Amino acid sequence: KYMTSAEIRQAFLEFFKQQGHEIVASSSLIPANDPTLMFTNAGMVQFKDVFLGTDKRNYTRATSSQRCVRAGGKHNDLENVGYTARHHTFFEMLGNFSFGDYFKQDAINFAWTFLTETLGLPKERLWVTVHHSDDEAERIWKEEIGVDPERFSKLDEDNFWSMGDTGPCGPCTEIFFDHGADVWGGPPGSPEEDGDRYIEIWNVVFMQYNRSADGEMTPLPKPSVDTGMGLERIAAVMQNVHSNYEIDMFQNLLKATAAAVGTTDMDNKSLRVIADHIRSCSFLIVDGVLPSNEGAGYVLRRIIRRAVRHGNKLGAKGPFFNQLVEALVKEMGEAYPELAEKQSQVERVLLKEEEQFAKTLDHGMRLLHEAIEGLDGTVIPGETVFKLYDTYGFPHDLTADVAREHELTIDEEGFEREMEAQRERARAAGKFSVDYNDAIKLEGETSFTGYELLESDASTV
Ligand code: ATP
Ligand code: MG
Ligand code: MG
Ligand code: MG
């Protein structure tokens, strides 16, 4: 019998506790006091100031299972969902951290010991990369760990990790798992590395620098360690499946999704997309985000609408997305009590947004399909993308998602021109434009967000 995701999470935290690490709870998806980052995208985010030396804790070693969202900013996997076996918009990152305590040698040894001894993974299936400049890490891997040089390589950008454009960063070493010859893909650094055969499971970052807005890198007060391993990816390995979507945590969610949209086609890609999106959307709402037309709220709205569109494609007859919260709570409510507590609130927010989008979705889809049928070439014109956005509430990435399914692209520049023209018209008329999206009724109260739209939408659409 395989290890469940919950057992893996537990084993990880236990292992690092044994090594003197403090178990720290996951922080919110919305970083506290950090305007440089929209969403928590890694386990280190809640420790950023500790790395920078401006905050102190009463421990120098920590471990966590951190909820993460990668749907905007430097780390954005929204477009990968449904296309790779390993990317989610929401996932859990297992991590261990050293704040000026241990460094490369212990960090590498811990990771290797956990994988090969605690989890018992065969060494021949693990591949390792280090930063091309990092002779020390190379020496540790080759001489102390004894990793086979055949499965070892030195890379450049992929082995330098940063939280965002600014903040802590440093060279890293990564461990990959070979899912076997029946899966397409090539080893790290090869042209086929983006296939699903060699999956990056663990990144061990040697935090050494702070990057400022002008790109300058200054050394951190103390060399530190930050690691991240995707729970879903290591669960796939331990459960002998080749896709994250086949692990235990997704099974009930996929079934609930199929039932809610009324399909029996369990292999459908849209099903996986929806199962992914219900996780990010629910957790974002739990952490206080509401659908809106800017910032984090607009990312949430875009993800909800993408999910609704995929449900529509599968034949959903009415609101279905909010019905999946129950299955999610069953799966994750124990690890995240805040999710269970806010179940009905999450359902209400999703239902509201679904109902709102339902009013225009069918008409918009008809317009889009007509445009696609009448298309000369492979690029959907900016005017069409704009009309879908402006009149039917289609975020432009949703239109791009449909386009991609038809092996088409959208005219981004043309769309941006239309947006600019609209801003111009509004400025000339001396007023703000407001669309039907903007009146969002929540818990009896109408919040009108349209006035924020104009100045900020350039950065959010
Ligand atoms: P990839 O190259 O596969 O996109 P990454 O290099 O961007 O991954 P890191 O920033 O190094 O990922 O994050 C640390 C770990 O978190 C990864 O090794 C992986 O196990 C996990 N991870 C990263 N992004 C995702 C995602 N979108 N969904 C699930 N797990 C992820
Ligand atoms: Mg990535
Ligand atoms: Mg990578
Ligand atoms: Mg990585």
Side-chain angles (χ1 to χ4, degrees):
K1 193 79 179 92
Y2 62 67
M3 274 176 101
T4 64
S5 298
E7 287 165 352
I8 296 169
R9 190 196 289 119
Q10 196 52 37
F12 184 92
L13 298 174
E14 239 354 275
F15 174 88
F16 282 100
K17 191 180 167 194
Q18 293 296 318
Q19 309 293 339
H21 293 64
E22 175 95 5
I23 299 180
V24 178
S26 169
S27 63
S28 166
L29 286 171
I30 306 305
N33 310 318
D34 190 349
T36 71
L37 200 60
M38 187 178 273
F39 301 125
T40 296
N41 58 15
M44 58 72 65
V45 168
Q46 68 167 318
F47 303 115
K48 179 181 171 185
D49 291 342
V50 189
F51 287 118
L52 295 177
T54 56
D55 184 13
K56 260 202 159 0
R57 304 284 164 96
N58 54 9
Y59 44 79
T60 55
R61 299 178 174 203
T63 183
S64 68
S65 179
Q66 175 68 50
R67 55 182 182 273
C68 296
V69 162
R70 292 194 171 182
K74 179 171 169 57
H75 295 280
N76 185 352
D77 289 320
L78 185 56
E79 308 303 331
N80 287 325
V81 173
Y83 290 91
T84 74
R86 69 184 196 277
H87 288 107
H88 305 295
T89 52
F90 172 96
F91 65 101
E92 285 180 79
M93 195 185 283
L94 303 167
N96 58 288
F97 310 92
S98 154
F99 310 115
D101 189 320
Y102 60 85
F103 201 42
K104 297 185 186 181
Q105 190 174 35
D106 282 344
I108 291 173
N109 267 290
F110 287 154
W112 194 251
T113 305
F114 182 74
L115 292 176
T116 59
E117 291 176 24
T118 309
L119 299 185
L121 295 180
K123 294 175 180 155
E124 319 79 69
R125 301 187 71 171
L126 297 173
W127 290 61
V128 170
T129 64
V130 303
H131 191 247
H132 66 81
S133 69
D134 199 344
D135 296 337
E136 190 188 349
E138 177 177 25
R139 190 195 58 74
I140 295 168
W141 278 115
K142 287 189 172 158
E143 289 170 24
E144 294 183 33
I145 303 286
V147 77
D148 188 338
E150 294 266 297
R151 290 189 292 275
F152 177 91
S153 56
K154 294 175 100 175
L155 301 177
D156 191 0
E157 297 95 36
D158 274 349
N159 283 98
F160 194 93
W161 196 87
S162 349
M163 182 195 86
D165 295 331
T166 64
C169 54
C172 62
T173 178
E174 295 192 319
I175 304 169
F176 292 68
F177 183 80
D178 176 4
H179 276 262
D182 50 336
V183 186
W184 184 83
S190 74
E192 299 84 23
E193 70 175 340
D194 269 337
D196 291 332
R197 175 169 173 180
Y198 298 84
I199 299 279
E200 177 190 326
I201 51 174
W202 203 341
N203 189 356
V204 176
V205 184
F206 308 121
M207 282 294 189
Q208 278 167 283
Y209 309 102
N210 180 22
R211 184 161 28 210
S212 64
D214 58 18
E216 201 193 331
M217 300 219 287
T218 48
L220 292 177
K222 289 177 182 162
S224 295
V225 170
D226 150 38
T227 90
M229 172 157 66
L231 175 60
E232 297 79 1
R233 292 190 191 183
I234 190 66
V237 169
M238 295 307 291
Q239 297 174 12
N240 234 333
V241 293
H242 301 320
S243 157
N244 285 9
Y245 292 91
E246 291 173 49
I247 67 172
D248 56 350
M249 270 202 287
F250 272 101
Q251 289 321 301
N252 290 325
L253 216 46
L254 286 165
K255 281 188 202 129
T257 308
V261 301
T263 181
T264 50
D265 175 11
M266 293 306 292
D267 279 338
N268 199 292
K269 180 195 95 162
S270 291
L271 221 51
R272 297 194 291 274
V273 175
I274 296 166
D276 170 86
H277 288 5
I278 192 61
R279 301 199 329 153
S280 51
C281 293
S282 298
F283 276 98
L284 283 171
I285 296 167
V286 165
D287 282 338
V289 183
L290 290 173
S292 79
N293 277 335
E294 63 157 25
Y298 193 56
V299 176
L300 172 60
R301 168 165 285 167
R302 283 163 43 210
I303 304 174
I304 296 172
R305 291 188 177 183
R306 285 171 82 119
V308 172
R309 202 279 299 176
H310 279 283
N312 179 272
K313 191 181 173 204
L314 287 172
K317 292 287 172 288
F320 67 93
F321 199 46
N322 67 95
Q323 294 169 19
L324 308 178
V325 180
E326 195 183 332
L328 180 66
V329 168
K330 277 207 193 104
E331 203 57 58
M332 302 187 75
E334 201 180 310
Y336 294 95
E338 54 273 69
L339 173 69
E341 275 159 35
K342 294 190 181 164
Q343 177 177 343
S344 60
Q345 189 190 335
V346 174
E347 287 167 345
R348 259 195 329 261
V349 172
L350 291 178
L351 176 62
K352 186 85 213 159
E353 184 72 10
E354 281 188 84
E355 286 175 343
Q356 196 138 33
F357 191 40
K359 291 178 198 156
T360 54
L361 176 60
D362 281 342
H363 281 114
M365 284 309 293
R366 207 169 311 141
L367 178 100
L368 180 51
H369 279 136
E370 276 163 20
I372 288 174
E373 268 154 38
L375 199 63
D376 190 14
T378 60
V379 186
I380 299 177
E383 296 82 30
T384 308
V385 181
F386 178 75
K387 178 151 195 217
L388 285 164
Y389 166 82
D390 194 47
T391 312
Y392 300 100
F394 281 38
H396 93 306
D397 66 290
L398 187 154
T399 304
D401 192 34
V402 180
R404 187 173 171 189
E405 289 170 1
H406 294 263
E407 287 168 11
L408 304 169
T409 56
I410 63 172
D411 175 11
E412 303 268 356
E413 265 173 47
F415 172 73
E416 199 29 63
R417 261 198 312 278
E418 295 291 329
M419 289 294 289
E420 188 49 41
Q422 187 203 43
R423 275 175 225 129
E424 237 357 279
R425 283 194 298 277
R427 266 193 291 269
K431 61 171 192 234
F432 300 100
S433 83
V434 173
D435 74 6
Y436 77 94
N437 288 324
D438 300 334
I440 306 161
K441 221 165 174 239
L442 270 177
E443 292 172 331
E445 177 195 348
T446 299
S447 64
F448 211 67
T449 56
Y451 298 119
E452 298 155 6
L453 176 64
L454 279 148
E455 295 315 316
S456 58
D457 54 7
S459 59
T460 54
V461 291

